[in-house]
Amino acid sequence: MARTNEAERKGIGPLALLAPGEAGLVVGLSAGGLVRRRLLDLGFVPGTVLRAVRRSPLGDPTAYSVRGAVIALRAADANNILVRRAPESTGATAAAPDD
Amino acid sequence: MNPPQSPVTVADRVVASLYRRAESIAAKVIAPRSPAQDLTPVIDRLLTSRLTGFPIMLLTLGAVLWVTVVGANYPSQVLGRLLFDLQGWLSGAMTAAGAPAWLHGVLVSGVYRTLAWVVSVMLPPMAIFFPCFTLLEDLGYLPRVAFNLDAAFKWAGACGKQSLTMSMGFGCNAAGVIACRIIDSPRERLIAILTNNFVICNGRFPTLIALSTVFVSQVVQTTIGAGAAAALVVVGIVLTGIVMTFGVSWLLSRTLLRGVPSFYTLELPPFRWPQVGRVLIRSVIDRTVFVLLRAVAVAAPAGALVWVLGNTVIEGHSVIAHLAGWLGPLGRLMGLDGFVLVAFILGLPANEIVLPILVMSYLGSGMMVEMDSLESLGILLAAHGWSWATALSYMLFSLLHWPCATTLLTVWKETRSSRWTFAAAAIPTAVAVIVCTFVAGLVRLTGNA
């Protein structure tokens, strides 16, 4: 998936921008109500480190490793989570992307 | 620090502190699995990659069906022979005891013969299919299937969890409808409920397997080859049902149940080696015996009713023959006949008994033909004008037609709405009539059969 230059510069963007293998730090949730509640329940809490693990063969959803569990989110839903891309993730962890 | 569109609320801080505490406790008491021992990522890469994900799904489905088709053949024959030997003995005993002809008819030709049919045709495939399916379930494969197929559900405006409720439907549609409770959005739950019937349930699998085996074996000769070809036909029917699910879900979310897919999450749990012994016991007792007992409980009275209808003669014909005569034109339009439609209507209580009812009404009164093998089924159907095209129409109608009474009752319990219960029966029936008429027309046009 293409990353926008702007997001690249700031390093902050919606979760769906993480390519498989990349890690990020949750900085905030843009959803409200039940969706926000559910994301918090699953451990998408500000300050959490997570990693995009793999994408579905049809392109969506993407599975994220968060606190030892693997949770799949559709891109539209993953955009409720704002992350800062972890700088080190572009090196070592990105070495094993899917496919 | 935080961008304005993502305020961190007080609630967020509370949750974060709870997680921090949980984390510090977990760090003290849990030893992490070493990455080298954990094969889950490796297996996942294989099961969900663009290259191998879908082929593996199809192969798994095909393999389970092939094992069921080939493995069920022999025990089915042995059981059939045994049960029909017992029928001869029962017959003799009742005659010796001086039972009147009608009582003998209802109990032996009606109740017993239908029961023997249900048990000998259904038990072996169920005893193979259910454990295979439970093994896959236990392994953790089903969430991967949901992961692979999710984009299609999104396209259809449905919830990705629908693939889990569909998997449940392979066992029993009523169970599948209850499973729809896991879907939070009322709109998407209704879509999943209304389309669950397009997944072939266990009550219909044995019929599909029997018919495809009979009609494929007329073309392919060797046992293994015929078994594989029959499994292929069944896979084709199953896939047709899945395509129908997507199509009807898509249509529903643009008409009756307009809306966009809502938020949901899907967990991909780590793979575990299934506890084979426990799986066998659980699937045999929980599923096989349960489904078989239900089939038997429904088949016994239905067998008696069919015998009575088949032997009550009005103006020279049995009641079943009259009904079949009225429904004949509609049946022929769909590549079937009136007797098939009567069997489907009388089989409303349970799909398991549709084919036995059809066999009973084809055999008619008095004629004591032993139906102890798939060959004799083939001979009987051919004698009533069946070709491969009739078998195809029958399988499609069985796949698409109204759900059984148990499922309809469950839909009513889950929705508390007679309108949606009616829709759950009317939508599949309309689809079945349209598809079967289309296919039969195509067969007529191309001059086959």
Side-chain angles (χ1 to χ4, degrees):
Chain A
M1 191 175 279
R3 313 164 191 158
T4 63
N5 283 332
E6 188 206 2
E8 189 86 327
R9 253 185 296 115
K10 286 163 72 181
I12 288 180
L15 179 58
L17 288 183
L18 289 190
E22 289 184 326
L25 183 81
V26 177
V27 296
L29 305 174
S30 59
L34 280 176
V35 173
R36 186 185 197 95
R37 196 44 207 284
R38 182 92 185 98
L39 286 172
L40 289 174
D41 286 348
L42 288 167
F44 292 98
V45 177
T48 304
V49 175
L50 44 69
R51 196 167 60 84
V53 182
R54 67 191 72 254
R55 245 188 254 294
S56 158
L58 295 176
D60 196 28
T62 305
Y64 299 94
S65 160
V66 52
R67 295 176 184 275
V70 177
I71 312 272
L73 295 174
R74 285 174 176 173
D77 298 327
N79 285 342
N80 288 316
I81 302 166
L82 289 156
V83 291
R84 179 166 349 102
R85 187 179 283 125
E88 72 273 23
S89 76
T90 46
T93 22
D98 235 353
D99 298 3
Chain B
M1 177 88 175
N2 296 310
Q5 71 267 37
S6 66
V8 175
T9 64
V10 178
D12 289 8
R13 286 177 207 279
V14 171
V15 175
S17 95
L18 287 176
Y19 265 105
R20 262 198 304 280
R21 173 131 180 79
E23 236 168 27
S24 71
I25 296 172
K28 270 183 236 158
V29 295
I30 293 173
R33 254 208 273 193
S34 85
Q37 281 178 327
D38 190 7
L39 286 175
T40 297
V42 183
I43 303 173
D44 260 341
R45 198 163 300 155
L46 213 62
L47 295 184
T48 63
S49 90
R50 204 164 291 184
L51 204 66
T52 52
F54 288 106
I56 288 179
M57 268 167 58
L58 280 178
L59 279 177
T60 309
L61 181 64
V64 168
L65 292 176
W66 180 76
V67 166
T68 307
V69 170
V70 173
N73 214 355
Y74 181 72
S76 230
Q77 275 174 18
V78 173
L79 256 179
R81 211 158 296 147
L82 208 74
L83 289 170
F84 283 96
D85 281 351
L86 197 63
Q87 179 182 329
W89 181 85
L90 263 177
S91 239
M94 282 195 81
T95 319
W102 66 266
L103 189 66
H104 175 270
V106 168
L107 288 184
V108 177
S109 310
V111 174
Y112 182 80
R113 197 158 58 171
T114 312
L115 281 184
W117 220 96
V118 167
V119 171
S120 63
V121 172
M122 285 192 53
L123 182 59
M126 277 195 325
I128 300 171
F129 180 81
F130 272 157
C132 287
F133 195 77
T134 314
L135 277 177
L136 285 179
E137 208 177 1
D138 224 45
L139 208 62
Y141 184 52
L142 297 187
R144 272 73 189 181
V145 172
F147 182 67
N148 286 347
L149 287 175
D150 186 70
F153 286 102
K154 194 177 74 173
W155 168 81
C159 178
K161 282 185 195 161
Q162 196 172 322
S163 51
L164 301 179
T165 65
M166 283 166 71
S167 302
M168 207 61 192
F170 276 120
C172 168
N173 290 131
V177 167
I178 293 175
C180 292
R181 288 177 189 172
I182 63 171
I183 299 173
D184 298 321
S185 138
R187 185 188 77 85
E188 286 152 37
R189 187 171 3 165
L190 264 175
I191 289 179
I193 288 175
L194 295 181
T195 56
N196 193 271
N197 183 55
F198 293 132
V199 177
I200 279 284
C201 69
N202 195 69
R204 293 177 279 172
F205 257 120
T207 301
L208 283 193
I209 288 167
L211 284 184
S212 57
T213 308
V214 165
F215 284 90
V216 166
S217 67
Q218 294 175 352
V219 187
V220 191
Q221 291 306 320
T222 62
T223 317
I224 296 300
L232 218 61
V233 171
V234 178
V235 168
I237 295 285
V238 170
L239 290 183
T240 308
I242 292 171
V243 168
M244 248 349 132
T245 303
F246 288 128
V248 174
S249 299
W250 183 87
L251 210 64
L252 282 172
S253 50
R254 272 149 194 85
T255 51
L256 284 180
L257 292 164
R258 216 179 305 255
V260 288
S262 63
F263 175 81
Y264 96 105
T265 58
L266 175 74
E267 198 196 340
L268 302 178
F271 288 103
R272 284 166 314 183
W273 198 243
Q275 295 156 300
V276 178
R278 191 190 286 181
V279 163
L280 285 181
I281 292 167
R282 208 172 64 203
S283 59
V284 166
I285 291 173
D286 286 6
R287 296 187 165 166
T288 310
V289 171
F290 172 77
V291 175
L292 191 72
L293 283 181
R294 203 192 61 191
V296 164
V298 173
L305 176 71
V306 171
W307 189 87
V308 170
L309 291 180
N311 288 274
T312 309
V313 176
I314 302 168
E315 291 169 16
H317 292 288
S318 71
V319 175
I320 285 193
H322 280 295
L323 290 171
W326 293 330
L327 291 169
L330 181 63
R332 279 188 292 279
L333 183 72
M334 295 189 283
L336 302 166
D337 63 26
F339 284 99
V340 173
L341 289 189
V342 171
F344 271 110
I345 292 169
L346 291 178
L348 177 70
N351 283 301
E352 293 88 341
I353 58 171
V354 175
L355 197 57
I357 290 177
L358 182 64
V359 168
M360 289 256 313
S361 35
Y362 273 162
L363 288 174
S365 52
M367 230 177 19
M368 288 298 286
V369 179
E370 287 208 352
M371 292 297 305
D372 61 351
S373 68
L374 285 177
E375 284 106 286
S376 51
L377 174 67
I379 293 165
L380 174 76
L381 295 179
H384 284 81
W386 278 48
S387 66
W388 64 266
T390 324
L392 179 66
S393 281
Y394 184 101
M395 288 195 269
L396 285 173
F397 195 80
S398 176
L399 167 72
L400 303 169
H401 79 298
W402 58 83
C404 72
T406 311
T407 305
L408 285 175
L409 195 70
T410 310
V411 171
W412 187 80
K413 274 187 191 154
E414 294 297 308
T415 61
R416 290 281 157 193
S417 149
S418 44
R419 209 185 78 171
W420 289 120
T421 309
F422 174 77
I427 292 170
T429 304
V431 172
V433 171
I434 292 168
V435 169
C436 289
T437 305
F438 178 76
V439 168
L442 218 61
V443 169
R444 267 194 292 272
L445 257 177
T446 51
N448 281 312

